[in-house]
Amino acid sequence: MRKFILLFIIVFSFIPAGAIDASYLIRLKNGGELITPLYWLEGNQIFFFYGSGIAGIESKFVDRVEKSKKKPADYMDTINRGNKELPPLSSATEKSSEPDKPPVANIPEEKVNIADYKNKKDRLTVELEDLMNKRREAGQRNDKDAKEKLTEEITK
């Protein structure tokens, strides 16, 4: 047991004091910054501690990760926020007084020939009526095979 304690003390004595309280600044390509005490890579994702949990982001959205002098403790406190007021909204995030206008898509209008659709509908209606009559006749004759085949054809 003494050897284990001695080994434990030796191993942790080589860790610099600042490394335990280290923090990292994750700079995003869109200009955003995230401060975290620890991050790691898994595939093309960068995972890190944020808030009271773990978050991840694709590495293609990250510009760089660098050591930071800022400490994440202030940013990580999600339980005891007290009565802190939120900062005022910037002008970019404030709602404008104008109503939102829906985006207009520039879709070229296609010429639709309604007569063709009406002719096709009429033709399909006649075919459906004919198949329904044949199915009724097969039912009266108690021809189950013919009735099943006509039912399949009707559903097609």
Side-chain angles (χ1 to χ4, degrees):
M1 181 70 178
R2 284 185 181 178
K3 290 181 182 180
F4 178 71
I5 293 173
L6 182 62
L7 180 65
F8 185 77
I9 292 171
I10 292 172
V11 168
F12 283 103
S13 66
F14 288 110
I15 298 175
I20 295 171
D21 200 24
S23 62
Y24 299 93
L25 182 64
I26 300 173
R27 293 190 184 267
L28 304 176
K29 289 184 179 177
N30 68 359
E33 296 178 345
L34 301 166
I35 297 176
T36 182
L38 179 69
Y39 76 96
W40 64 96
L41 298 171
E42 288 184 21
N44 65 345
Q45 295 267 330
I46 296 177
F47 290 95
F48 52 95
F49 291 109
Y50 194 76
S52 58
I54 297 174
I57 189 168
E58 284 190 48
S59 57
K60 68 180 180 182
F61 298 115
V62 176
D63 186 29
R64 64 182 179 272
V65 178
E66 57 191 40
K67 278 204 166 206
S68 173
K69 293 181 182 178
K70 297 179 184 178
K71 299 299 174 203
D74 297 333
Y75 300 98
M76 305 300 277
D77 183 19
T78 58
I79 298 170
N80 299 322
R81 292 194 184 259
N83 293 332
K84 294 180 186 176
E85 290 186 28
L86 294 175
L89 293 174
S90 68
S91 61
T93 58
E94 290 178 357
K95 290 271 187 181
S96 64
S97 60
E98 298 176 13
D100 292 338
K101 295 179 182 175
V104 178
N106 294 328
I107 300 172
E109 291 186 30
E110 295 180 19
K111 299 286 183 177
V112 177
N113 190 352
I114 296 175
D116 288 341
Y117 284 107
K118 285 183 179 180
N119 290 337
K120 185 175 181 179
K121 180 190 170 230
D122 292 339
R123 184 174 38 87
L124 290 173
T125 304
V126 169
E127 288 178 21
L128 180 62
E129 287 293 326
D130 185 42
L131 289 171
M132 291 295 286
N133 287 333
K134 288 180 181 177
R135 184 172 173 258
R136 283 186 205 107
E137 290 172 4
Q140 289 173 353
R141 289 180 290 170
N142 292 330
D143 189 358
K144 292 181 181 179
D145 291 335
K147 189 175 177 181
E148 286 179 17
K149 288 179 183 178
L150 288 167
T151 303
E152 288 177 17
E153 206 170 324
I154 288 170
T155 56
K156 286 181 183 179

